[in-house]
Amino acid sequence: MKVYIAGCFESKARLELEAARLERAGYTVLSSWLKEQPLQRTGADDTATGTGEVTPDQALAYAGRDLRAVKEADLFILDTLDINVRGGREVEFGISLTRFIRRYIVGPNRNVFHEMANRTFDNWGLLHAYLRT
């Protein structure tokens, strides 16, 4: 089963561990953003940190890559445990709503659209336990 994990870039280290757990359980994780190095956007209002800069062309490439992965997934997992102001994970969740796939949230429902998830889990341990059943 192919899985896409959406979350804050600031949660990347924690989500990499969860992706590895899923892969050990036999899932294919499509979230290639988890393997990226932090990059800094060229806009002054962005809060991302890192060593490089993202050009508009690179941003479009990353967005296109991630949306293709969301469209390929059989299961979409949205991590809402951490908060940020950018909202990319919310766009990805919205794309998942256009498909007949399972959608799980780990963390609190933060907006009305989150009520459209098939299941919500308080933490990743509960999600992994559910997937084992």
Side-chain angles (χ1 to χ4, degrees):
M1 178 179 293
K2 295 181 271 186
V3 177
Y4 188 87
I5 300 171
C8 298
F9 203 86
E10 296 83 357
S11 305
K12 185 168 108 36
R14 179 173 54 77
L15 295 178
E16 285 174 315
L17 298 174
E18 302 302 343
R21 283 180 73 184
L22 288 169
E23 288 174 341
R24 285 192 301 273
Y27 294 88
T28 301
V29 176
L30 302 175
S31 307
S32 60
W33 70 271
L34 291 172
K35 295 176 177 52
E36 288 178 9
Q37 294 302 311
L39 296 172
Q40 187 171 26
R41 294 200 41 100
T42 56
D45 62 343
D46 190 78
T47 58
T49 59
T51 56
E53 289 187 357
V54 177
T55 67
D57 287 343
Q58 289 171 315
L60 284 171
Y62 291 152
R65 177 208 57 204
D66 292 347
L67 292 179
R68 283 188 299 278
V70 170
K71 290 178 180 181
E72 186 180 340
D74 304 305
L75 169 62
F76 182 93
I77 302 172
L78 174 63
D79 180 280
T80 63
L81 293 171
D82 297 317
I83 299 172
N84 75 7
V85 297
R86 290 183 306 282
R89 67 182 173 178
E90 300 301 340
V91 172
E92 294 167 338
F93 185 76
I95 296 297
S96 81
L97 292 174
T98 69
R99 306 197 47 244
F100 294 106
I101 62 173
R102 287 185 287 162
R103 285 174 297 281
Y104 297 157
I105 292 179
V106 178
N109 287 354
R110 297 196 181 273
N111 64 57
V112 296
F113 295 101
H114 289 175
E115 299 300 329
M116 298 177 83
N118 298 97
R119 290 192 175 267
T120 300
F121 301 90
D122 289 336
N123 59 61
W124 278 89
L126 293 173
L127 170 68
H128 289 291
Y130 176 79
L131 291 175
R132 284 193 297 271
T133 61

